[in-house]
Amino acid sequence: QVQLVESGGGLVQAGGSLRLSCAASGSISSISVMGWYRQLPGKQRDLVASITRDGTTTYADSVKGRFTISRDNTKNTVYLQMNSLTPHDTAVYYCTVSRYTFTFGRSGSWGQGTQVTVSS
């Protein structure tokens, strides 16, 4: 089992930046893909960004050019740098990891979520 601890959420003005962190512990050797989903009230949880162990990244179209995902394998930590934030980015952000690429987002471990609020 993998435990995930998220940090970095908070309140920021439109146009500002936040950096989310997610530290993994437990069965960390089994992690292949790490990434972030977000969920707005009344909506499903959708992919924000993901990154594989070798550094291959995937981004939702809505965040391309503004968000950057990275990971530090020595620290078992994944980061999400969020720039040019808008109120549309207001959501609960969840860190997730998966043992296999094809199961990412469907099977694996999830963090408790961290609230990001962007004010206008």
Side-chain angles (χ1 to χ4, degrees), residues 45-80:
R45 193 175 298 182
D46 292 325
L47 173 70
V48 177
S50 67
I51 184 168
T52 65
R53 185 179 292 112
D54 67 0
T56 301
T57 59
T58 300
Y59 294 96
D61 288 341
S62 60
V63 306
K64 287 181 178 178
R66 299 188 299 120
F67 291 11
T68 302
I69 189 170
S70 61
R71 65 190 285 175
D72 186 339
N73 291 326
T74 65
K75 296 182 173 65
N76 305 307
T77 301
V78 62
Y79 306 93
L80 186 68

Side-chain angles (χ1 to χ4, degrees), residues 38-45 87-92 94 115-116:
R38 68 184 181 185
Q39 186 171 27
L40 279 69
K43 296 184 178 180
Q44 67 178 351
R45 193 175 298 182
H88 178 72
D89 297 314
T90 296
V92 178
Y94 296 90
Q115 177 70 46
V116 172

